[in-house]
Amino acid sequence: MNTINKTMSKTIKLITLGVLFSQSMAVSAATEVNPEHKGRNDYFAKSYQPLCAMPTKVIATASTLDAASQQEFILDKQLGFDTKLNAKGETYIQLAIKEWDEKFIVGVTPKVQVTMAGADVLGADIVNLQCEKQNQYLTHLNTHEWGSYTLKLTGKPNEAVKVQIITTDL
């Protein structure tokens, strides 16, 4: 009987240690920050902070590249949308860029990919650490000329997506 109690006691201790180790690793992984994200967040803090609380409005965006030209949005300081990806997991937003060498940051729902033909991507999939809830991925884009550019968002089919765009001088 004594041997059984000792064995059970050791087993319980091992299970407890395993659970504590797992919890510790989960907390460590959740709080571990990519050093590149930390550096960018420090440098761009004044640009990233407004994206956390930027108002959005519900917009049905284009589900095809051709349809995007029928619905153009002027990029003037900031834009905010709540939209939905199509059944293929895509949506298109045509932006009218008014300035030469325009730099802007696009904040989106995590795991949504941002691309824009004709623009330089200067950073992508950066977690916005300036927000209380870190539920925004950032992409830095730079266009070299004024004109129309189409932003393509790709994610899960029919996914609800928040899109927040802000121009920056940096």
Side-chain angles (χ1 to χ4, degrees), residues 19-136:
V19 168
L20 290 174
F21 178 75
S22 292
Q23 289 173 341
S24 171
M25 291 303 289
V27 168
S28 173
T31 58
E32 195 173 298
V33 175
N34 180 328
E36 181 184 344
H37 293 196
K38 177 78 171 99
R40 279 183 174 263
N41 271 266
D42 291 345
Y43 185 79
F44 289 102
K46 287 184 180 177
S47 296
Y48 289 2
Q49 289 166 354
L51 289 164
C52 300
M54 182 185 294
T56 58
K57 56 185 172 183
V58 177
I59 300 285
T61 51
S63 60
T64 67
L65 181 59
D66 291 337
S69 65
Q70 302 299 315
Q71 181 185 38
E72 187 168 63
F73 299 93
I74 298 172
L75 180 57
D76 185 29
K77 304 277 186 230
Q78 67 181 36
L79 288 170
F81 305 111
D82 285 307
T83 192
K84 189 175 178 182
L85 303 181
N86 65 18
K88 293 180 182 178
E90 302 171 340
T91 197
Y92 300 84
I93 301 168
Q94 185 159 317
L95 298 176
I97 306 296
K98 299 181 350 176
E99 302 294 329
W100 289 82
D101 197 34
E102 185 73 83
K103 293 173 180 58
F104 53 100
I105 302 166
V106 180
V108 294
T109 303
K111 310 275 180 172
V112 172
Q113 298 299 308
V114 176
T115 57
M116 180 180 271
D120 295 332
V121 176
L122 304 174
D125 299 328
I126 301 160
V127 177
N128 189 349
L129 301 174
Q130 302 299 318
C131 301
E132 186 175 319
K133 292 181 181 178
Q134 294 170 4
N135 58 354
Q136 184 180 62

Side-chain angles (χ1 to χ4, degrees), residues 4-18:
I4 292 175
N5 286 341
K6 285 181 182 179
T7 303
M8 286 183 68
S9 178
K10 285 181 183 179
T11 303
I12 290 171
K13 285 179 185 176
L14 286 173
I15 290 171
T16 302
L17 285 173

